[in-house]
Amino acid sequence: MKQNLLIGIGVVLILLVVLGASPFFIVDVTQTAIVVQLGKPVRTITQPGLQFKAPFIQEVTYFDKRLLDYDSSAQDVITQDKKTLLIDNFAKWRIINPLKVYQAFQTQRGALRRLDDIIYSELRVELGRHDLSEIVSKTRAQIMAVVTERANEKAKAYGIEIQDVRIKRADLPEQNEKAVFARMQAERERQAKQYRAEGAEEAQKIRSDAEKDREIILAEAYKTAEELRGDGDAKAFKIYAEAYRQDPKFFEFTRSMEAYKKTFSTNSTIVISPDSEFFKYLKQR
């Protein structure tokens, strides 16, 4: 009798499995399961293992326990300086209360759609308070920290925790991109022109200072040279006078030899009378 009962139960279970209404289900270690009876959650299962449910009247909805990725399609966001940015962001999030998530969205996919609304809503609000230059600069991290905090506050009401929101890519629409590029190009050209003018002015100033220094150095050098020349001439005159005083004839002879040396060492032609005093010593020879 007992054996027949077991066989009957086995046959019923096999039929339920074949009909897709198995009373058994498995909860993975990475999952949380909500058992729903006629649309109403009746049990939350957080421990992994084989579980049981009433066939036909109960269903199981699974939620992931792990830290999840959120990556939606890019959307337009308007900045404070009225620039339209095509923002593509991603986030890390986790389901901390599966029952709340089920009551609000029924499925994990539904929670993800709501998450998309929350994050983009906060992105639009926060990015709308900053200019384009601030968003693409190093202040972006601070902006995203604010977005993460505010989005997380809203998501907690639905049993969701948002740990991090980041901008993956921020592009300008094509028309805005061309306009911004043209404006940036004009700005860079203006700066380059200004720098060239400042450089030319500085170069002219340096040249003027260098020319002034050159004139001062040349004047001082000329003054020193004249002083040295004057001293040299005075010493030469003194030596000549001393030599003349000691032996006037020898002095006259050496002076004549120097005059011959200077005169005959050049290629010039001299026309002079043989009786000239200039050849006095030559005639004596």
Side-chain angles (χ1 to χ4, degrees):
M1 183 67 180
K2 185 176 181 180
Q3 184 178 5
N4 293 334
L5 178 61
L6 293 175
I7 294 173
I9 292 173
V11 172
V12 171
L13 291 175
I14 291 172
L15 288 175
L16 289 175
V17 171
V18 172
L19 294 174
S22 172
F24 302 106
F25 64 95
I26 297 174
V27 179
D28 189 80
V29 69
T30 62
Q31 294 176 321
T32 298
I34 301 288
V35 179
V36 181
Q37 181 172 328
L38 302 177
K40 181 180 179 182
V42 294
R43 187 158 51 108
T44 300
I45 303 170
T46 59
Q47 297 301 319
L50 183 64
Q51 303 292 334
F52 176 81
K53 67 179 179 65
F56 298 110
I57 63 173
Q58 289 187 339
E59 295 179 350
V60 180
T61 300
Y62 297 96
F63 295 95
D64 205 318
K65 290 181 180 178
R66 296 171 295 182
L67 187 64
L68 303 172
D69 292 328
Y70 155 83
D71 189 2
S72 66
S73 57
Q75 294 188 23
D76 290 344
V77 175
I78 300 176
T79 64
Q80 187 181 38
D81 50 348
K82 307 304 178 188
K83 303 293 189 306
T84 300
L85 276 179
L86 190 62
I87 296 293
D88 188 2
N89 70 89
F90 72 95
K92 293 289 186 181
W93 66 290
R94 187 193 306 276
I95 296 174
I96 57 175
N97 191 329
L99 183 58
K100 280 189 176 181
V101 173
Y102 177 81
Q103 290 172 335
F105 315 112
Q106 281 72 55
T107 63
Q108 188 168 308
R109 184 181 296 275
L112 194 59
R113 286 195 292 270
R114 180 56 178 154
L115 190 69
D116 189 68
D117 295 338
I118 292 173
I119 291 177
Y120 266 115
S121 173
E122 294 303 322
L123 272 174
R124 288 193 174 91
V125 171
E126 191 59 28
L127 295 184
R129 296 172 177 168
H130 297 271
D131 293 340
L132 174 62
S133 58
E134 296 174 339
I135 295 172
V136 299
S137 68
K138 59 184 180 181
T139 58
R140 179 192 291 187
Q142 300 172 359
I143 296 173
M144 299 316 298
V146 173
V147 172
T148 300
E149 181 181 356
R150 293 178 179 171
N152 187 44
E153 290 176 359
K154 289 186 176 180
K156 280 183 178 178
Y158 302 104
I160 296 172
E161 178 186 59
I162 299 175
Q163 294 194 353
D164 193 15
V165 179
R166 298 290 180 91
I167 293 177
K168 184 168 61 178
R169 193 182 64 198
D171 295 332
L172 289 168
E174 186 176 359
Q175 293 181 347
N176 289 14
E177 188 174 349
K178 290 180 179 178
V180 171
F181 178 77
R183 190 161 55 252
M184 291 175 63
Q185 185 179 22
E187 177 63 17
R188 294 297 183 272
E189 289 176 349
R190 186 193 65 77
Q191 291 180 351
K193 186 177 181 180
Q194 178 182 350
Y195 293 152
R196 281 195 292 269
E198 293 175 354
E201 182 180 358
E202 187 66 20
Q204 182 60 38
K205 181 180 178 183
I206 293 172
R207 281 195 291 270
S208 298
D209 292 342
E211 185 67 24
K212 180 181 177 182
D213 293 341
R214 173 179 172 273
E215 294 297 330
I216 292 174
I217 292 171
L218 288 176
E220 291 179 349
Y222 179 76
K223 177 183 177 183
T224 303
E226 289 299 313
E227 290 176 351
L228 292 175
R229 185 178 292 109
D231 293 342
D233 290 343
K235 290 179 181 179
F237 290 148
K238 183 178 180 181
I239 292 171
Y240 289 150
E242 183 66 20
Y244 181 76
R245 186 180 62 80
Q246 292 181 359
D247 190 346
K249 291 185 178 179
F250 180 74
F251 177 76
E252 185 178 356
F253 173 75
T254 55
R255 295 283 293 177
S256 296
M257 292 300 106
E258 291 178 0
Y260 292 157
K261 182 179 179 182
K262 292 180 179 178
T263 301
F264 297 132
S265 63
T266 62
N267 295 323
S268 58
T269 302
I270 299 175
V271 179
I272 193 169
S273 172
D275 298 330
S276 174
E277 189 65 18
F278 185 69
F279 294 113
K280 179 176 66 177
Y281 290 100
L282 294 178
K283 288 190 291 185
Q284 288 177 354
R285 287 178 177 273

